[in-house]
Amino acid sequence: MDNISNIFHNDLLPSLGARANQSIKLRKFIISPYDSRYRIWETFLLVLVVYSAWIYPFELAFLRHLSWKLFLVENIVNSFFAIDIILTFFLAYLDHKSYLLVDNPKRIAARYLSSWFILDVCSTIPYQPFGLLFNKHGNGLAYRTLNMLRLWRLRRLSALFARLEKDIRLNYYWIRCTKLISVTLFAIHCSGCFIYLIADTYPDPSRTWIGAAIPNYRSESLWVRYVTAIYWSITTLTTTGYGDLHAENPREMSFCICFMLFNLGLTAYLIGNMTNLVVQGSCRTRNFRDTIHAASRFAARNQLPEQIRDEMLAHICLRYKTEGLKQKETLDSLPKAIRSSIACHLFLPVLEKIYLFDGVSFTCRLQLVTTMEAEYYPPRETIILQNETPTDVYILVSGAVEERIMIDGREKVEKLLSGGDIFGEIGVLCNIPQPLTFRTSRISQLLRLNTTVLKNIIQENKHDKEIIMNNLYQVSSQLFYHYDIVFR
């Protein structure tokens, strides 16, 4: 299951297929996307993507002239992404139809050239050195604007969150919250940088949103100008609108209109996602509380004894705790052959210890084990009531069950059953009312076998029928003599 986190793109590949792809031998010089070294390389690039997402809007707005250190850092970062472009021509990809890795170099190159190659190249070209040919500083507004193409790299971050959301080892709630917070912070950062750029390039500094509040703002420190821009961005995004910073010219008004319209969509996106996360987390608890209240009202309305009411509530509570396992839903979603294999692996060793099926053929055991259903029962819950019509046979996997009998109007514990014991078989196989009461003494896992299914399987296996009845007679001869019943 851990290999699910290694899925490329947004397709959920079955774990078996992922393992098969990881172990396949590729052509020489072809890189597997599941290779641990390539994963480290991807992680390193993601760090550079985060750096790019912050620095390039900031550089466009606040840094008219780059220092040689920043110039060097940017070109080093670009060189890493240039190397990644080359590596992509040798990177196997997952075919969406066959779910197999394609390692044909021609197909890899054709796929990359027809998809993201042009945009990857445009986002990697070092525009500053080209700008030096026409501008001694190489930092004209046009060249700084071209640097914004670096934001194309954010697609890697989007793909990362898509993979993390499918990774069962991680908490979906916190991954989703991290994504929403990241989107919000990036929107705040970019809008703050853009509104400052508009003010900084306006001919009259006094008729700008920042110039009206801070005369000679260009003489202020970089930190003050950036914080002021982020403050404007947050107050606008949250629709607080204190009025201390506002648009002063048509350019700023036009940008504010676009930003506020964008905020409508962003706010709806954030509220919708957060509401969905909260609802998912609280819906199950709310349903549980409603069920408990309904059961309590039912018991009070019908004046049920306290013991029965406690059994009802204990059963509901246990069902709530075991619902998170989603065992039944998981099994029901699988093909019959896989369900049978799982049942054999889990239940066949238990069935082999049961006296009733000692000496029975493997075919008969296989038929029995594939029809059993696993259930949980809380402590002090009655599973079979004495003298009731037999409907099921139970096998105790774990926990403890008390075997009780009514004598002179008083219920007495005859025996304590443990893992590997069977009960309810006498009433079923002898076609008589259940002779005993069975009640759990602690939380127990049981395998339930329907009466009709059991009898049909026995009738289909004549030889096994004799063995089962002989085993039943040897263990329960006293009860057979008491009821003087012969199985037909």
Side-chain angles (χ1 to χ4, degrees), residues 118-142:
I118 298 299
L119 292 173
D120 285 347
V121 170
C122 291
S123 65
T124 308
I125 295 174
Y127 295 103
Q128 292 91 341
F130 288 102
L132 289 173
L133 297 176
F134 306 98
N135 186 299
K136 66 177 182 178
H137 297 292
N139 291 303
L141 181 60

Side-chain angles (χ1 to χ4, degrees), residues 329-344:
E329 292 85 345
T330 302
L331 291 174
D332 291 344
S333 66
L334 298 174
K336 186 176 184 300
I338 298 180
R339 293 201 305 269
S340 299
S341 299
I342 294 174
C344 289

Side-chain angles (χ1 to χ4, degrees), residues 119-317:
L119 292 173
D120 285 347
V121 170
C122 291
S123 65
T124 308
I125 295 174
Y127 295 103
Q128 292 91 341
F130 288 102
L132 289 173
L133 297 176
F134 306 98
N135 186 299
K136 66 177 182 178
H137 297 292
N139 291 303
L141 181 60
Y143 298 105
R144 286 188 290 152
T145 304
L146 287 174
N147 278 340
M148 292 298 293
L149 292 173
R150 309 281 195 259
L151 297 182
W152 165 250
R153 300 167 183 171
L154 285 172
R155 69 181 179 86
R156 297 173 180 269
L157 209 56
S158 177
L160 170 68
F161 278 113
R163 289 201 302 270
L164 294 180
E165 288 173 358
K166 297 174 183 175
D167 193 333
I168 61 173
R169 299 170 299 180
L170 304 176
N171 186 293
Y172 176 80
Y173 176 84
W174 291 114
I175 293 298
R176 196 70 182 171
C177 286
T178 302
K179 179 180 179 179
L180 297 177
I181 293 172
S182 301
V183 170
T184 305
L185 292 178
F186 179 70
I188 291 172
H189 173 71
C190 286
S191 61
C193 292
F194 292 153
I195 193 65
Y196 180 84
L197 177 65
I198 293 173
D200 195 45
T201 55
Y202 195 73
D204 185 0
S206 62
R207 288 193 58 210
T208 61
W209 66 273
I210 190 172
I214 308 177
N216 299 320
Y217 65 90
R218 288 174 180 167
S219 61
E220 297 289 341
S221 66
L222 183 61
W223 172 252
V224 171
R225 286 178 285 155
Y226 178 70
V227 170
T228 305
I230 295 300
Y231 170 76
W232 173 91
S233 180
I234 293 177
T235 55
T236 306
L237 178 65
T238 58
T239 68
T240 303
Y242 292 116
D244 52 346
L245 299 175
H246 56 272
E248 294 282 349
N249 57 70
R251 293 184 189 178
E252 295 174 351
M253 292 177 185
S254 299
F255 177 78
C256 288
I257 291 172
C258 295
F259 183 53
M260 286 185 283
L261 291 175
F262 168 79
N263 286 344
L264 293 177
L266 179 62
T267 303
Y269 171 77
L270 295 174
I271 294 176
N273 277 269
M274 292 305 298
T275 302
N276 186 44
L277 291 174
V278 172
V279 168
Q280 285 181 347
S282 62
C283 183
R284 183 165 169 259
T285 302
R286 187 177 65 252
N287 291 338
F288 167 71
R289 291 171 59 89
D290 292 342
T291 305
I292 289 291
H293 284 310
S296 299
R297 289 195 299 268
F298 176 83
R301 185 169 56 253
N302 294 278
Q303 298 181 353
L304 298 179
E306 186 176 351
Q307 179 184 348
I308 297 179
R309 188 199 64 181
D310 291 343
E311 287 183 4
M312 290 173 55
L313 298 181
H315 182 82
I316 294 173
C317 290

